Amino acid sequence: MTHVVIVGGGHNGLVSAAYLARSGLEVTVLEARPMLGGACVTEEVMPGYRASTCAFVLGLMRPEIVADLRLKEYGLELYSSPDALAFTTEPSGRHFFMWKEPDRTLREVRRRFGPRDADAFAQFGMDMQRLGAVLRPLMMQPPPSLADVAGEFERRGSAGLYERFVTGSVTDLLGAYFESDLLKGFLAFSGVVSVYGAPSTPGTAYVLAHHSVGEFEGHFGKWGFARGGVGALTAAIASAAAASGARLRTSAPVDHVVVRDGKARGVVLASGEEISADLVLSNADPRRSLLTLVGPEHLPGETVSAVEAYDVRGSQCRVLIAADRLPEYTGLPKGQGPQHNGHTFLSPDLDHYEAAFEAARAGRLPEDPVVELTIDSVREPGLVPPGRHMIVTGVQQLPFELTGRTWDDARQDLTDLMLDRLYEHAPNMRGAVLGTHTITPLDLEREYGLTGGNIYHGAMTPAQLLSGRPVAGWGAYRTPVDGFYLCGSGTHPGGGVLGASGYNAAMAVLTDLGVATPRPWGSEHAARELRRRGFEDVLHAAYASPLKKVMNTAARQPWLRKLTNLATRRPGGKK
């Protein structure tokens, strides 16, 4: 029986383990931390307070994997916010809700920002949906080239869409649709995740476009949460893997991969224990996998140079805040409301993003960062003591290295900065804070194994996408070392909680072993998927016709909500 060792028990490593074990291989997963999940975990950060410490929103996880592994049978319960998916606010009280219902959101945009931006929001959503129709079928297939994808957009008569969403900047992309600065700032956040750049940096548009493949319970443009925090997802995947025979070990850090005669032969743990294996998969990022675990001495010189040039810049932080009350945002009623249920953004402004990048380049903290936050304890009171709350905040565009000091030195300054931003938007929080837990970019590397503090395992800019991820010329999960594969987010399709990198790596292993894959997988099938037209193309053609004005009006009507939901439903998704 073929023995496979998987280095790293993050969600992608566990997905690989589950599929390989189901196919009859002997699988051992080795996780350095005392718990499985990597950056997809629910942890007790203070006595009695549990929270999703790194990833916290689910909208990209591939439903095929949830179904294949029967994750709901292993305890996974996914749910969405009861009303608002997202909330954006400024200290002045100006704010905006993105509701679960598209018609309600369009009416909100029209009321807050005017008819032009309301129509633009509908157009933007339609274009994102069409973009997703091209990219989504590629998520669980070997990566095509960027040129192949560009050619497909051209064949569909959408070359402009490709240039706008793939090669352009976030600033130019959003400027082509919207007038409102608050609306642009809200949408820009997903375009600066794990990127060393600003919204004006060319190529950042794809980071935003990456979210076009997302869905929740079959519906485009929605996202949700896992009951018990995001760690419930990895717990379910781990249970599925274990049920198929995978051996899961924690507190088992790997020191290096054993390479003899150009082939991976197993691993050596930090304890000195050696585990022999026929194949080794690494869920670590490409730099750590190849330059640390394997070592440059086992790699061609050009591979070493390419991996050294692989861009892992783009750090973030988390500051978790225990409090005895909920934020009362300026301009909104007191008490619990929809502003506490979804994904919140504090003062998202393009100028703030630009200033944050300038600060990152100078190696200092930003003065007015854009803050994201969620409050799991509103939706799940059992995660915290009675009457208490846990506010999980985060900031992108941080430098990994600070000028003149370390992140350990700057930890309190970072905590204070986040608290000040919260107080600025919700003055009632002064005196309400019971404790904090701060995760700096250095902590992300040191504790969670994320080189450079990059949660995507590397920037998702055009040069590092599809068959160019992580390195052009070799990819598709195989490496120059025979029997050594990559299965983390540093491979196609990239960052976020998708599970697709782990699935694809497992399919590459099965293909190389001559074992049947659960569904068709391979470059020829990927090419067919790329050429396939879908419902989104028909919908887009109708929207581009003289019916556009009628469709915009209809999309805002609550009595036509079923029809609007149908338009956002992925073929095969839930009604």
Side-chain angles (χ1 to χ4, degrees), residues 4-343:
V4 180
V5 163
I6 299 176
V7 182
H11 81 284
N12 276 310
L14 293 171
V15 167
S16 288
Y19 277 99
L20 293 176
R22 290 178 73 204
S23 295
L25 279 65
E26 182 183 351
V27 178
T28 301
V29 176
L30 302 170
E31 168 57 42
R33 302 189 75 217
M35 63 189 308
L36 295 166
C40 191
V41 287
T42 306
E43 302 180 82
E44 185 176 50
V45 296
M46 287 172 253
Y49 289 83
R50 299 175 65 239
S52 303
T53 47
C54 294
F56 50 48
V57 175
L58 293 177
L60 296 177
M61 184 68 192
R62 297 311 309 150
E64 300 95 330
I65 296 173
V66 174
D68 282 354
L69 302 183
R70 307 194 313 277
L71 297 185
K72 294 184 180 181
E73 295 179 23
Y74 290 105
L76 178 63
E77 181 184 348
L78 300 175
Y79 69 98
S80 186
S81 166
D83 39 40
L85 291 173
F87 169 67
T88 303
T89 188
E90 295 179 332
S92 66
R94 191 171 66 138
H95 62 271
F96 160 68
F97 284 99
M98 181 174 175
W99 304 99
K100 285 178 64 175
E101 303 84 6
D103 60 275
R104 194 176 179 187
T105 299
L106 290 174
R107 293 197 303 276
E108 172 98 0
V109 174
R110 188 179 182 89
R111 181 172 63 253
R112 300 284 181 191
F113 311 122
R116 185 188 181 281
D117 272 351
D119 289 347
F121 196 87
Q123 180 69 63
F124 182 77
M126 192 69 64
D127 289 345
M128 281 282 281
Q129 193 168 358
R130 194 175 191 209
L131 187 74
V134 177
L135 299 177
R136 193 181 305 112
L138 304 178
M139 295 295 102
M140 294 173 64
Q141 289 294 331
S145 70
L146 198 60
D148 289 338
V149 174
E152 180 54 30
F153 275 99
E154 187 170 351
R155 282 190 291 274
R156 295 180 183 223
S158 302
L161 202 65
Y162 173 85
E163 293 171 3
R164 186 178 292 174
F165 279 89
V166 178
T167 63
S169 73
V170 167
T171 297
D172 289 343
L173 169 65
L174 297 177
Y177 289 90
F178 305 107
E179 293 180 343
S180 166
D181 56 339
L182 185 61
L183 195 54
K184 287 189 283 189
F186 159 63
L187 293 168
F189 188 89
S190 59
V192 297
V193 177
S194 296
V195 168
Y196 185 74
S200 60
T201 304
T204 51
Y206 180 80
V207 188
L208 189 158
H210 181 61
H211 294 78
S212 68
V213 304
E215 59 185 83
F216 185 78
E217 299 294 349
H219 284 272
F220 164 80
K222 297 184 180 181
W223 56 88
F225 306 91
R227 185 76 60 191
V230 73
L233 171 66
T234 42
I237 303 171
S239 295
S244 294
R247 186 184 182 196
L248 310 175
R249 293 181 57 179
T250 56
S251 300
V254 172
D255 182 78
H256 66 273
V257 174
V258 177
V259 180
R260 286 193 297 269
D261 301 323
K263 178 174 173 54
R265 306 286 183 176
V267 300
V268 174
L269 303 187
S271 65
E273 177 186 357
E274 182 169 347
I275 301 175
S276 297
D278 301 293
L279 302 171
V280 178
L281 277 68
S282 176
N283 190 35
D285 62 83
R287 276 199 182 183
R288 185 180 296 265
S289 297
L290 290 156
L291 301 183
T292 301
L293 293 177
V294 169
E297 67 274 17
H298 298 297
L299 298 167
E302 61 271 20
T303 296
V304 174
S305 298
V307 176
E308 287 176 338
Y310 180 71
D311 188 2
V312 295
R313 297 173 299 171
S315 302
Q316 69 165 57
C317 76
R318 286 276 186 259
V319 176
L320 293 83
I321 304 166
D324 63 7
R325 70 196 72 162
L326 289 171
E328 294 177 358
Y329 299 109
T330 304
L332 286 164
K334 294 182 179 181
Q336 185 173 326
Q339 65 271 25
H340 301 119
N341 289 332
H343 198 176

Side-chain angles (χ1 to χ4, degrees), residues 202-501:
T204 51
Y206 180 80
V207 188
L208 189 158
H210 181 61
H211 294 78
S212 68
V213 304
E215 59 185 83
F216 185 78
E217 299 294 349
H219 284 272
F220 164 80
K222 297 184 180 181
W223 56 88
F225 306 91
R227 185 76 60 191
V230 73
L233 171 66
T234 42
I237 303 171
S239 295
S244 294
R247 186 184 182 196
L248 310 175
R249 293 181 57 179
T250 56
S251 300
V254 172
D255 182 78
H256 66 273
V257 174
V258 177
V259 180
R260 286 193 297 269
D261 301 323
K263 178 174 173 54
R265 306 286 183 176
V267 300
V268 174
L269 303 187
S271 65
E273 177 186 357
E274 182 169 347
I275 301 175
S276 297
D278 301 293
L279 302 171
V280 178
L281 277 68
S282 176
N283 190 35
D285 62 83
R287 276 199 182 183
R288 185 180 296 265
S289 297
L290 290 156
L291 301 183
T292 301
L293 293 177
V294 169
E297 67 274 17
H298 298 297
L299 298 167
E302 61 271 20
T303 296
V304 174
S305 298
V307 176
E308 287 176 338
Y310 180 71
D311 188 2
V312 295
R313 297 173 299 171
S315 302
Q316 69 165 57
C317 76
R318 286 276 186 259
V319 176
L320 293 83
I321 304 166
D324 63 7
R325 70 196 72 162
L326 289 171
E328 294 177 358
Y329 299 109
T330 304
L332 286 164
K334 294 182 179 181
Q336 185 173 326
Q339 65 271 25
H340 301 119
N341 289 332
H343 198 176
T344 296
F345 301 89
L346 305 181
S347 291
D349 182 275
L350 292 181
D351 289 340
H352 287 167
Y353 294 117
E354 296 290 335
F357 179 51
E358 289 305 313
R361 292 206 295 184
R364 55 180 174 81
L365 291 176
E367 295 181 2
D368 296 303
V370 177
V371 176
E372 63 169 336
L373 67 87
T374 64
I375 312 175
D376 283 355
S377 53
V378 170
R379 300 181 304 274
E380 297 188 60
L383 292 172
V384 299
R388 300 292 187 251
H389 291 285
M390 175 63 78
I391 304 169
V392 182
T393 70
V395 165
Q396 299 289 335
Q397 297 179 284
L398 292 178
F400 182 69
E401 295 182 352
L402 292 168
T403 300
R405 58 179 177 162
T406 68
W407 273 112
D408 290 334
D409 300 327
R411 186 181 303 276
Q412 190 59 51
D413 287 345
L414 176 60
T415 304
D416 292 342
L417 174 64
M418 299 293 274
L419 290 173
D420 287 344
R421 289 296 275 168
L422 180 61
Y423 300 154
E424 183 181 5
H425 293 81
N428 75 306
M429 296 305 293
R430 292 186 183 276
V433 175
L434 304 174
T436 60
H437 177 80
T438 297
I439 302 171
T440 70
L442 179 59
D443 293 329
L444 288 175
E445 178 175 276
R446 186 169 51 194
E447 301 297 328
Y448 296 87
L450 299 166
T451 301
N454 190 297
I455 62 168
Y456 278 3
H457 286 198
M460 294 194 61
T461 45
Q464 295 186 174
L465 297 177
L466 302 168
S467 61
R469 189 171 185 86
V471 173
W474 61 267
Y477 320 98
R478 304 163 180 95
T479 74
V481 177
D482 187 22
F484 184 65
Y485 297 76
L486 301 182
C487 66
S489 296
T491 64
H492 170 75
V497 184
L498 292 95
S501 291

